[in-house]
């Protein structure tokens, strides 16, 4: 109840509508070397030409590309190796540039975009016949941080513990967060 004694009860409603137009694709190739095992190379890409969002039946469809934090392009590549019970994989994930959280409306200037970035992951594995597979890996192998949001002047919203100067924020306990 608020100070006037009013009570508002609203149930969840799913009135939104989203329309996406783009291209998804994946290509893979398998090859074998008798003395070195089997390899699979794969490449995937998603390009979004349009993503329209309508929040209610009464609202208009609003384009989200170049307005919201949605990259138009994402790509991935993977090289996988297996030999008997052993295996390993190296993969890369690319995220294209997209508007910052506080960019100026549709089609903001280039300096308001979060830069594109790529991360690399790797793993090794051993399969114990009928008992399962043990995998050890490292995500974000080169410890690449997401680029700063140039529109977040009071902080970096996706990386909210980095202030506008790029310095790590100190906590009251004396610990720091990067």
């Amino acid at each position: 109840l608020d100070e006037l004694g009013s009570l508002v009860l609203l149930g969840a409603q799913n009135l939104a509508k989203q329309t996406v137009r783009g291209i998804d694709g994946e290509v893979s190739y398998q090859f074998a070397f008798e003395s070195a095992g089997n390899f699979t190379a794969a490449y995937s890409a998603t390009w979004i030409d349009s993503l329209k969002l309508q929040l209610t039946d009464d609202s208009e469809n609003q384009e989200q590309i170049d307005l919201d934090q949605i990259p138009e392009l994402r790509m991935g590549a993977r090289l996988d190796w297996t030999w008997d019970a052993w295996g390993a994989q190296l993969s890369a994930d690319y995220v294209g540039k997209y508007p910052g959280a506080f960019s100026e409306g549709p089609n903001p200037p280039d300096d308001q975009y979060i830069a594109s970035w790529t991360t690399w992951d790797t793993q090794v594995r051993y399969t114990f016949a009928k008992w399962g597979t043990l995998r050890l890996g490292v995500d974000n192998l080169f410890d690449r941080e997401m680029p700063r949001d140039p529109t977040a002047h009071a902080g970096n919203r996706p990386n909210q513990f980095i202030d506008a100067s790029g310095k790590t924020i100190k906590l009251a306990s004396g610990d720091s967060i990067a």
Side-chain angles (χ1 to χ4, degrees), residues 58-171:
D58 300 338
S59 65
E60 66 180 70
N61 251 349
Q62 187 171 19
E63 181 63 54
Q64 301 299 301
I65 297 295
D66 290 331
L67 175 65
D68 203 358
Q69 291 191 293
I70 299 170
E72 287 183 67
L73 182 62
R74 286 194 78 127
M75 295 184 290
R78 179 179 36 106
L79 180 62
D80 190 83
W81 165 78
T82 55
W83 191 23
D84 294 327
W86 288 96
Q89 181 173 295
L90 177 67
S91 60
D93 182 39
Y94 169 85
V95 178
K97 69 176 187 169
Y98 58 90
F102 305 101
S103 57
E104 298 170 4
N107 301 310
D110 284 343
D111 65 348
Q112 293 187 1
Y113 277 76
I114 295 172
S116 61
W117 78 96
T118 302
T119 56
W120 293 84
D121 303 331
T122 188
Q123 74 170 227
V124 295
R125 64 186 179 273
Y126 185 83
T127 301
F128 296 93
K130 61 183 176 184
W131 295 288
T133 302
L134 174 65
R135 297 174 192 269
L136 299 172
V138 177
D139 288 340
N140 197 1
L141 183 62
F142 301 109
D143 198 25
R144 175 79 197 268
E145 289 189 21
M146 177 184 167
R148 294 191 68 243
D149 181 344
T151 66
H153 301 296
N156 194 17
R157 183 175 154 206
N159 297 325
Q160 64 268 32
F161 298 112
I162 301 173
D163 72 8
S165 68
K167 295 179 183 172
T168 302
I169 293 177
K170 297 289 183 183
L171 301 175

